[in-house]
Amino acid sequence: MAFNLEGHGEDEEGMLSEINVTPFVDVMLVLLIVFMVAAPMMMAGVPVDLPRAANAPVPQVTQPLVLTLDRQGRVFIEEAETDPATLVATLAPMAAETPDRPVFLRADRNQAYGEVMRVLAALAASGFGRASLIGEAAP
């Protein structure tokens, strides 16, 4: 085997003796993607064989409480209109009964920001910890 003067490792037949790292990099990138996709699936938790219970499961509250603030500033709990001045007193027994019940607030788009904040403050003062604002999807 003869080396040329530049020292690149080329022999008489024109073959290169350098290492081609492109396939190695390709394999490493594929492995990286495989592990990035598989890692969140492996974090499911510790597998446990849970015991059976004779009692019926606890019913989950799936029906959210819906408050509506219309264009005129009237407040509705579900479908019933309520006085905005007594909103905290009306909501407090509901919050005491099920404090983790989801609450949705539907407010008219022309309603002032301060009025929406007033209703959210009443929800917080009555004992509901979280409320979600409802909007329409963009066309």
Side-chain angles (χ1 to χ4, degrees), residues 2-109:
F3 287 97
N4 61 9
L5 295 176
E6 287 85 30
H8 286 19
E10 205 173 300
D11 61 8
E12 303 163 351
E13 291 88 33
M15 295 179 62
L16 292 175
S17 61
E18 295 176 353
I19 297 175
N20 187 2
V21 294
T22 304
F24 177 73
V25 171
D26 290 344
V27 169
M28 288 296 118
L29 288 175
V30 169
L31 287 174
L32 176 68
I33 291 171
V34 166
F35 284 116
M36 286 174 58
V37 170
M41 290 184 233
M42 289 188 259
M43 301 272 183
V46 178
V48 176
D49 190 12
L50 297 174
R52 305 277 180 215
N55 297 343
V58 178
Q60 296 294 321
V61 177
T62 57
Q63 187 65 26
L65 177 65
V66 179
L67 270 73
T68 306
L69 180 62
D70 70 356
R71 185 179 298 238
Q72 291 80 23
R74 297 179 297 182
V75 179
F76 295 85
I77 299 175
E78 300 294 342
E79 301 294 324
E81 185 175 354
T82 186
D83 183 22
T86 61
L87 189 58
V88 175
T90 307
L91 291 172
M94 296 177 193
E97 183 180 327
T98 53
D100 57 343
R101 183 177 183 185
V103 179
F104 296 154
L105 175 60
R106 299 173 58 232
D108 191 271
R109 78 175 69 205

